[in-house]
Amino acid sequence: IITEKLSPMASPDTPVSTPLTNIASEPPTSPLTLKVESLKSEPPAAALPTHPLPVGTKVPCRTRDDLQWRMAEIGKVNIGADGEIQYYVHFPDFDKRMDEWIGTDRMDISRIKTKKGATKKDTKKDSKGVKRKAEAAKSSKGSKCKSSEVEQMDPHDDHGKPKNIAFIIIGKFKIETWYYSPYPCTIDRNLDRFDRYEMLGKDATTPFPPIPADITPPDDSQQRDLWICEFCLKPCESDTQLWDRHMPKCKLRHPPGDEIYRDDENRISVFEVDGKKRKCYCQNLCLLSKLFLEHKFLKYDVEAFIFYIMTDHDEYGHHILGYFSKEKESPEQYNVACILTLPQHQQRGVGRLLIEFSYALSQKEERVGSPEKPLSDLGALSYNSYWRDTIVEILLQYEKSGEPVTAAEISKQTMIKLDDIVSTVNKLGIISTNKKSSSIILTDQFKAIHRSRTEKRTVHIDKDKLVWTPYFYTGGN
């Protein structure tokens, strides 16, 4: 029997697990409680692993709300300076925005599934090799890294990397991020060094300087918060740096471009920003959007794009709602390269307005357009909704007049690409086909559903308020 003296502050009612026998003859002089533990206690149901689980292992994990166990796949392993093992897991049935770092306390180790075709001997061998590499990196002389990354990823491939920013604070909103974004210099935890190293230069046209070679990234599992100026989009490491050092110097109160649309009734404006003229601002915008778009590869090469930023204006300035970018010259006839509504403004119809505005520009250009593929899950929902409502509205107008209409005529009026029109009509299931021809039938129930959808949308793009001249690029100018 092992006896252990507890603190005098322990409760006198602490239960004793086994009878006290063969204890020292002299009783304790102070009223201390003895905790007795048996050496022959029952082992846990599943012993925790003594070495890291290899990448690719599938194991049931508790989701973030701790309500259900779901199968997850280990994508990365991290061993901290204190020896604690953290796993970056992906839930195959969910979007990658649900990926997160977890510990073994949220894993069911008894139901581990190794990589396909791997035996237990191979798995143990791989895990020991992973641990040896981690220990070697940890004990190497001159290493400034507080933890060792077990799995090395391609530094030029951002897809699948663990999130490096946990939350961003922009304006009055604190937003949880979804994906990794390669923000420079956020890896430096020393605020004094960070403040001395200016990230954005002195003016809005200065591009990013190179990252100093002596900056070493810390533990990947330690995500950080980022403060972002809502006017120039400069990232800062702390609220003090943003409000005390940056904001008194920041002169911007709207995106640094031409205001080509203003709706004072709904307080909506759209600014056109050339990536070649305002490279630094557009780079900041791309880094911000990468936090919420999984398949976005544009980070620094922004000169070939024009950005259209939608804002909500008040007495304090113009606050960004969302944006879309567009190639200056697109051989594939894309009218949108990338589109994003910031999460705090979603479910308000902002994405719908951005899509509607992009087609308003296409009508000014008299050029049929389509968004660049593939679309994200949320982007596909927004575009399918816009195409459906726009096409059905045209069909109802022709039905009322009694005139026939073709897909080419609809494309000419709306500037929606013919392929998008055909795929949308097929999804609606309103085509009736016989041996001789095909026709579209709109039932009364279908019309009622369409009216209920469109009545909820009260804000639209007024083309009369658009002041814009199409660009014509020749010889790279």
Side-chain angles (χ1 to χ4, degrees):
I1 298 176
I2 299 177
T3 62
E4 180 184 355
K5 292 184 178 181
L6 300 181
S7 170
M9 298 301 293
S11 172
D13 298 328
T14 303
V16 179
S17 58
T18 60
L20 299 179
T21 58
N22 298 329
I23 305 181
S25 58
E26 294 184 5
T29 56
S30 60
L32 300 180
T33 304
L34 299 180
K35 179 183 178 183
V36 181
E37 297 180 355
S38 174
L39 291 176
K40 298 181 179 180
S41 58
E42 292 293 330
L48 296 178
T50 58
H51 49 77
L53 298 173
V55 172
T57 302
K58 294 184 179 180
V59 56
C61 301
R62 281 203 305 254
T63 53
R64 194 176 304 179
D65 53 11
D66 290 343
L67 295 179
Q68 299 186 42
W69 290 90
R70 299 187 183 275
M71 188 61 68
E73 182 176 353
I74 297 176
K76 195 172 184 181
V77 185
N78 193 90
I79 303 178
D82 56 354
E84 182 182 0
I85 303 175
Q86 291 282 325
Y87 299 95
Y88 194 75
V89 298
H90 168 63
F91 298 93
D93 297 333
F94 295 88
D95 188 84
K96 290 186 70 67
R97 66 175 70 102
M98 301 300 296
D99 296 1
E100 58 177 329
W101 287 98
I102 66 172
T104 53
D105 57 331
R106 289 174 56 184
M107 291 181 170
D108 187 356
I109 306 299
S110 62
R111 294 193 290 164
I112 292 178
K113 292 183 180 181
T114 58
K115 290 183 288 186
K116 187 176 181 181
T119 62
K120 293 183 179 180
K121 184 177 180 180
D122 295 336
T123 301
K124 187 174 181 181
K125 182 179 179 180
D126 294 342
S127 300
K128 288 184 176 180
V130 166
K131 186 177 181 181
R132 281 196 297 270
K133 286 194 289 184
E135 291 176 350
K138 184 170 140 184
S139 59
S140 59
K141 293 183 179 181
S143 176
K144 299 179 183 179
C145 191
K146 296 182 181 179
S147 65
S148 47
E149 294 183 4
V150 177
E151 285 296 317
Q152 299 294 332
M153 293 188 176
D154 184 1
H156 302 288
D157 183 15
D158 297 337
H159 180 70
K161 282 189 176 182
K163 287 196 304 183
N164 54 340
I165 307 297
F167 290 88
I168 61 169
I169 296 89
I170 178 170
K172 59 182 180 180
F173 300 99
K174 183 175 182 180
I175 314 161
E176 183 179 7
T177 63
W178 296 353
Y179 307 107
Y180 170 89
S181 182
Y183 269 100
C185 299
T186 59
I187 55 179
D188 193 355
R189 303 302 294 272
N190 188 325
L191 295 183
D192 293 334
R193 290 180 60 200
F194 181 86
D195 291 338
R196 288 198 298 268
Y197 179 68
E198 289 295 335
M199 180 188 301
L200 302 179
K202 296 182 179 180
D203 56 71
T205 61
T206 304
F208 286 116
I211 301 176
D214 61 337
I215 294 183
T216 305
D219 185 355
D220 264 356
S221 63
Q222 301 300 319
Q223 300 173 0
R224 296 164 292 283
D225 295 345
L226 202 63
W227 282 258
I228 298 177
C229 174
E230 62 177 331
F231 300 116
C232 71
L233 305 182
K234 174 181 178 177
C236 300
E237 282 280 338
S238 65
D239 56 345
T240 302
Q241 185 185 8
L242 174 63
W243 294 107
D244 296 345
R245 312 186 89 178
H246 170 71
M247 291 306 294
K249 302 177 183 178
C250 184
K251 299 180 180 180
L252 283 180
R253 289 299 177 267
H254 60 78
D258 299 327
E259 186 177 14
I260 62 175
Y261 181 85
R262 175 184 282 260
D263 184 355
D264 290 324
E265 182 180 355
N266 298 298
R267 303 193 313 176
I268 293 176
S269 296
V270 178
F271 289 82
E272 183 183 57
V273 182
D274 191 339
K276 187 175 182 179
K277 297 180 180 179
R278 298 292 180 176
K279 182 182 293 186
C280 186
Y281 178 88
C282 295
Q283 287 175 345
N284 284 334
L285 183 60
C286 291
L287 290 171
L288 173 62
S289 63
K290 184 65 180 69
L291 293 170
F292 307 102
L293 294 174
E294 181 181 5
H295 301 285
K296 179 173 177 59
F297 302 100
L298 173 65
K299 288 175 286 192
Y300 303 114
D301 186 16
V302 297
E303 296 184 5
F305 294 85
I306 296 181
F307 297 80
Y308 296 91
I309 297 95
M310 183 171 289
T311 64
D312 176 18
H313 58 266
D314 56 19
E315 63 272 18
Y316 300 104
H318 290 258
H319 313 280
I320 181 171
L321 302 174
Y323 86 101
F324 70 89
S325 60
K326 181 179 179 180
E327 285 185 281
K328 295 178 180 178
E329 290 183 292
S330 176
E332 297 84 1
Q333 295 184 336
Y334 291 139
N335 62 354
V336 168
C338 179
I339 185 169
L340 172 71
T341 302
L342 292 179
Q344 70 269 28
H345 301 298
Q346 292 179 0
Q347 305 297 325
R348 293 176 50 191
V350 176
R352 177 64 172 262
L353 287 177
L354 288 171
I355 296 173
E356 190 175 342
F357 189 82
S358 68
Y359 280 103
L361 297 183
S362 296
Q363 291 178 357
K364 278 274 189 178
E365 294 176 318
E366 297 182 354
R367 185 183 303 172
V368 174
S370 179
E372 188 173 336
K373 311 297 192 302
L375 294 169
S376 64
D377 53 349
L378 299 178
L381 289 174
S382 299
Y383 266 98
N384 288 329
S385 175
Y386 173 79
W387 289 333
R388 178 179 60 246
D389 293 345
T390 304
I391 293 172
V392 171
E393 194 66 31
I394 297 293
L395 293 176
L396 291 176
Q397 293 177 8
Y398 275 91
E399 183 189 42
K400 187 176 181 180
S401 63
E403 299 179 2
V405 62
T406 62
E409 184 65 26
I410 297 176
S411 176
K412 185 178 180 180
Q413 292 188 27
T414 61
M415 292 302 161
I416 300 175
K417 198 173 182 179
L418 191 61
D419 295 341
D420 298 330
I421 294 176
V422 173
S423 62
T424 302
V425 173
N426 288 331
K427 290 178 183 177
L428 291 175
I430 56 178
I431 300 179
S432 176
T433 305
N434 54 33
K435 295 181 179 180
K436 295 183 179 180
S437 62
S438 299
S439 59
I440 295 177
I441 299 178
L442 303 178
T443 63
D444 293 338
Q445 182 181 3
F446 184 88
K447 297 176 184 178
I449 295 175
H450 173 73
R451 284 194 296 268
S452 64
R453 286 171 50 86
T454 55
E455 287 174 356
K456 298 178 182 178
R457 305 186 185 279
T458 58
V459 181
H460 297 276
I461 296 297
D462 188 352
K463 299 175 185 178
D464 296 334
K465 298 178 181 179
L466 175 61
V467 182
W468 182 73
T469 302
Y471 283 93
F472 295 97
Y473 298 94
T474 58
N477 299 320

